[in-house]
Amino acid sequence: MNVWIAIALTAVGCYLAKLLGLLVPAGALERPLVQRLAALLPVALLAALTAQQTFGAGTHLVVDARGAGLAAAAVALVLRAPFLVVVGVAVVVTAGVRALG
């Protein structure tokens, strides 16, 4: 029964968050600071998610083949490779490091 309570509370929380977003006045959303922060927020969240998924294992910090793949992807991005090439480089490097170690 606890699972259903958690599901119901999550659904209500999501609905309230959506409602809160709709109640924000349009003037507040048109401020330059809010617009700059809204443009940067997805980048920050994606960077945090990438770091957590790459270097985290439960509650421990782990440096393994995923770090090498991320570094290779970063180099490919600096070299302005297309996105599919970046993903392919990351996959190949990660698999290669795992195969070697």
Side-chain angles (χ1 to χ4, degrees):
M1 194 63 160
N2 290 337
V3 173
W4 289 109
I5 293 172
I7 290 172
L9 289 175
T10 302
V12 169
C14 288
Y15 179 78
L16 290 176
K18 179 91 172 178
L19 182 63
L20 184 66
L22 292 173
L23 294 177
V24 174
L29 298 175
E30 293 173 356
R31 294 182 182 159
L33 177 63
V34 173
Q35 290 180 350
R36 282 195 311 261
L37 290 176
L40 294 175
L41 190 61
V43 175
L45 289 174
L46 183 59
L49 179 63
T50 301
Q52 193 274 334
Q53 290 293 315
T54 301
F55 300 113
T59 60
H60 303 297
L61 180 65
V62 177
V63 178
D64 58 4
R66 295 176 293 179
L70 181 63
V75 169
L77 282 172
V78 168
L79 296 174
R80 300 200 182 271
F83 181 71
L84 288 178
V85 172
V86 171
V87 172
V89 165
V91 168
V92 168
V93 169
T94 302
V97 171
R98 285 184 178 169
L100 293 176

